[in-house]
Amino acid sequence: MIGIFDSGLGGLTVVRSIMKHLAGYDIIYFGDTARTPYGTKSRETVIRYAHQNTEFLLDNGANIIIIACNTASSVATDSILEKYNVPIFEVISPAVELSLKMSKKYRIGVIGTRATIKSGIYEKKIKDQNAEAKVYSYPCPLLVPLVEEGWLAKPETRMIVKKYLLPLKTRQIDTLILGCTHYPLLKKIIQQKIGKRVTIIDSSIAVAGKVKEYFENNPGADKILTRNGKTRFFVSDVTEQFEKIAKSTLYQNVQLEHVKI
Ligand code: DGL
């Protein structure tokens, strides 16, 4: 099974992309709704949670792991890679690769949680591949609670998005990385506010492309996965919000299974 974890419901955007790009493969999802958000927590805490989440998925039949959460990908990938002997995917590198492919001026904006932006990981990975690139990163902490509240098209949300994107507009970026699981759900507003000339990189789509590429380049590697079109959703706390957003993100009712981590 394809194991995917996130701090909560935002990782459903990754589930949606995986279902589209790798149709039919069985998925096991864990959303850490009891301990969300990760974006405001310390590095040590997020690393500890990421290990517990990975172990839960592996114990329950996952054969590969996708760290859907940008915050966990930013701070915990190295230690997860060190410890577990299964294919591990994170969301930062695929988004970086795609942004460098799409950008013409190499003026790249990144938005994410405070923890992700503070880690400097996007900037580092972009500069490792293109030292000339200019990277402008800004945290947008209000966007996660707005998405969780379902305020996807409210005037207040539009106003806040506009305010957050203003510094990036003045930097004349040509590419913007959505460095947080929740932001793809605001993609339309973000595109309107940043302008249609800016290419938006959705890390949920980028990571699905990467996983697909991995299986294409390693024939037979997908034999470890089962393919019955089944998805199980585990959460550490059953919330109404999760059910609501799951329905609007995946266009289906999902049955949540409660688990104590
Ligand atoms: N999943 C987190 C991320 O992508 C956003 C929500 C949180 O702060 O936990 O960074």
Side-chain angles (χ1 to χ4, degrees), residues 86-103:
V86 295
I88 309 273
F89 298 87
E90 42 79 33
V91 284
I92 317 283
S93 313
V96 163
E97 246 176 63
L98 194 57
S99 71
L100 286 167
K101 209 158 121 189
M102 302 304 283
S103 180

Side-chain angles (χ1 to χ4, degrees), residues 1-6 11-12 14-15 18-19 24-31 53-68 225-226 229-235 242 255 257 259 261:
M1 274 192 286
I2 299 177
I4 303 176
F5 79 81
D6 179 45
L12 293 171
V14 174
V15 174
I18 290 288
M19 282 174 161
Y25 287 98
D26 296 337
I27 297 172
I28 173 169
Y29 180 83
F30 174 67
N53 302 345
T54 303
E55 267 153 40
F56 168 77
L57 290 173
L58 293 174
D59 288 347
N60 285 279
N63 311 92
I64 73 167
I65 298 290
I66 302 175
I67 309 174
L225 302 176
T226 47
K230 285 209 178 99
T231 305
R232 290 182 79 182
F233 295 92
F234 289 91
V235 286
F242 193 102
Q255 206 187 334
E257 300 180 58
V259 62
I261 288 281

Side-chain angles (χ1 to χ4, degrees), residues 28-213:
I28 173 169
Y29 180 83
F30 174 67
D32 199 1
T33 41
R35 304 189 292 196
T36 198
Y38 284 8
T40 50
K41 297 208 164 57
S42 70
R43 190 184 167 81
E44 294 68 31
T45 301
V46 175
I47 291 175
R48 180 159 50 88
Y49 290 174
H51 277 267
Q52 290 168 346
N53 302 345
T54 303
E55 267 153 40
F56 168 77
L57 290 173
L58 293 174
D59 288 347
N60 285 279
N63 311 92
I64 73 167
I65 298 290
I66 302 175
I67 309 174
C69 177
N70 277 259
T71 305
S73 294
S74 303
V75 301
T77 299
D78 288 348
S79 79
I80 298 281
L81 278 171
E82 230 169 73
K83 183 158 180 199
Y84 305 98
N85 197 18
V86 295
I88 309 273
F89 298 87
E90 42 79 33
V91 284
I92 317 283
S93 313
V96 163
E97 246 176 63
L98 194 57
S99 71
L100 286 167
K101 209 158 121 189
M102 302 304 283
S103 180
K104 293 198 173 68
K105 296 194 286 175
Y106 300 112
R107 298 181 70 83
I108 300 170
V110 182
I111 52 175
T113 63
R114 283 195 200 286
T116 297
I117 299 303
K118 194 171 155 222
S119 76
I121 186 100
Y122 277 103
E123 183 153 5
K124 188 186 172 304
K125 284 191 183 257
I126 292 171
K127 295 255 187 198
D128 279 352
Q129 290 189 45
N130 183 339
E132 302 296 305
K134 296 266 180 279
V135 186
Y136 305 99
S137 314
Y138 292 92
C140 302
L142 291 174
L143 300 188
V144 166
L146 286 170
V147 169
E148 304 238 339
E149 272 309 306
W151 283 29
L152 301 184
K154 296 249 185 194
E156 293 84 349
T157 306
R158 308 176 77 81
M159 202 176 72
I160 291 167
V161 169
K162 184 174 173 194
K163 201 159 173 117
Y164 274 143
L165 296 181
L166 198 64
L168 286 168
K169 263 193 112 144
T170 59
R171 303 287 191 178
Q172 302 193 326
I173 57 164
D174 73 344
T175 307
L176 175 63
I177 298 178
L178 306 185
C180 174
T181 47
H182 289 56
Y183 301 173
L185 298 171
L186 296 171
K187 200 157 154 184
K188 244 194 205 154
I189 300 184
I190 293 173
Q191 184 79 73
Q192 279 165 8
K193 299 298 175 195
I194 197 68
K196 59 177 186 308
R197 286 205 188 87
V198 174
T199 305
I200 291 191
I201 306 295
D202 177 338
S203 49
S204 69
I205 297 176
V207 71
K210 201 77 203 159
V211 179
K212 192 171 177 204
E213 194 185 293

